[in-house]
Amino acid sequence: MIASGLSVTKPASIFRIRAHNTAADSENKIHDDRVAAAHGFRGGLVPGVTVYGYMVPAIINRWGRGWIEHGGISVRFQAPCYEGETVVVRCAESTVTAGREDGSIYSSGTVMEHSDCQPDSYQEHPLPAMENRPLASHETITLGLPLGTIRAALDVELEVAIPERLLRMANEILVRNFRMSPWIHAASDVSHHCLVACGQEITVTGAIRECFERKGRHFAVAGLSLSAEGKAVATVRHTFIYQL
């Protein structure tokens, strides 16, 4: 019997998975071995969204499926992950990490069982034609700039895959608005508001909320709202490096 007032600490959830570069042929050449090497990396980077997807099962194992409905996470991508590496994911209490067996970290996050973030709202705007997208620069990515709206059906059936797909849509709205290559997904703050199902159409709207420079690199933060049938699904603050 547990004494009144005492809580039970669950053991850490630990998962292992072999990393796969899911974007080797994408427009973003930071995932290409040759281009990434020219920027000082050992090879093409496994996308941050993919690493985030590796982290989700441990989070759900620790916090339950309710996390996808009303939870949140602040996740940072700290070091490159490469094709074929073994990724060890640990979720203990409110901390989740993805790293190597030696303890070095690819990414880390703070998990919230119940996010208190209120849904953001952005007006819809037309997308530029793919051939007319402006080149990402400090002249085209500016504070307050509205982003063209995207829509896509949620194409996963397993609930555990939903968070990764939603965050992938945050990447998609960026590359549909700008020509960016190479670029890096640096961090995301995600708040879930409700659970969606396979086949539902997700609408993504947003605007540039911050622009800054650090160590010669140009960063921006996109504030994004994801909704389905007029109901808020998730709010995301997506930090990215558009000029290395």
Side-chain angles (χ1 to χ4, degrees):
M1 181 177 293
I2 301 173
S4 176
L6 296 180
S7 60
V8 176
T9 300
K10 294 183 179 180
S13 297
I14 301 176
F15 289 77
R16 285 174 172 82
I17 188 168
R18 185 75 66 181
H20 174 53
N21 182 359
T22 56
D25 297 324
S26 75
E27 182 181 75
N28 183 8
K29 296 307 179 184
I30 200 65
H31 306 302
D32 175 85
D33 286 341
R34 181 181 58 83
V35 175
H39 287 275
F41 298 105
R42 183 156 53 83
L45 275 59
V46 173
V49 167
T50 300
V51 176
Y52 174 68
Y54 298 157
M55 300 167 81
V56 169
I59 297 171
I60 295 175
N61 188 64
R62 172 64 181 83
W63 293 105
R65 70 189 296 269
W67 178 78
I68 313 176
E69 298 181 78
H70 48 64
I73 185 171
S74 179
V75 61
R76 302 290 180 266
F77 301 99
Q78 297 153 249
C81 178
Y82 299 108
E83 173 78 25
E85 294 185 332
T86 297
V87 180
V88 182
V89 178
R90 294 179 171 86
C91 185
E93 296 304 315
S94 61
T95 300
V96 60
T97 61
R100 299 182 177 88
E101 291 282 6
D102 64 8
S104 58
I105 300 298
Y106 301 123
S107 63
S108 63
T110 301
V111 181
M112 294 144 280
E113 183 179 12
H114 294 273
S115 173
D116 58 2
C117 173
Q118 295 301 308
D120 285 342
S121 178
Y122 299 94
Q123 291 185 346
E124 295 190 15
H125 290 273
L127 278 171
M130 289 294 284
E131 63 272 17
N132 294 331
R133 291 171 299 161
L135 182 67
S137 73
H138 67 278
E139 295 176 342
T140 59
I141 297 182
T142 56
L143 187 63
L145 178 74
L147 299 174
T149 302
I150 66 169
R151 292 181 176 84
L154 190 67
D155 61 353
V156 294
E157 296 185 4
L158 296 176
E159 287 185 352
V160 70
I162 290 174
E164 186 268 354
R165 281 297 188 271
L166 294 178
L167 198 61
R168 189 174 294 274
M169 291 179 185
N171 274 356
E172 182 64 20
I173 194 173
L174 297 178
V175 301
R176 291 291 301 278
N177 276 271
F178 306 102
R179 285 186 290 128
M180 300 196 303
S181 182
W183 69 280
I184 293 177
H185 174 197
S188 289
D189 298 316
V190 182
S191 296
H192 299 130
H193 305 303
C194 75
L195 186 62
V196 288
C198 180
Q200 281 192 274
E201 184 179 73
I202 307 296
T203 299
V204 188
T205 57
I208 299 299
R209 299 290 296 272
E210 294 180 41
C211 299
F212 58 96
E213 184 178 346
R214 182 180 298 160
K215 296 181 179 179
R217 293 179 169 182
H218 290 272
F219 290 73
V221 179
L224 305 171
S225 174
L226 288 76
S227 61
E229 301 175 2
K231 187 175 182 180
V233 172
T235 297
V236 179
R237 287 180 63 89
H238 210 52
T239 302
F240 59 103
I241 307 170
Y242 63 86
Q243 192 171 68
L244 303 183

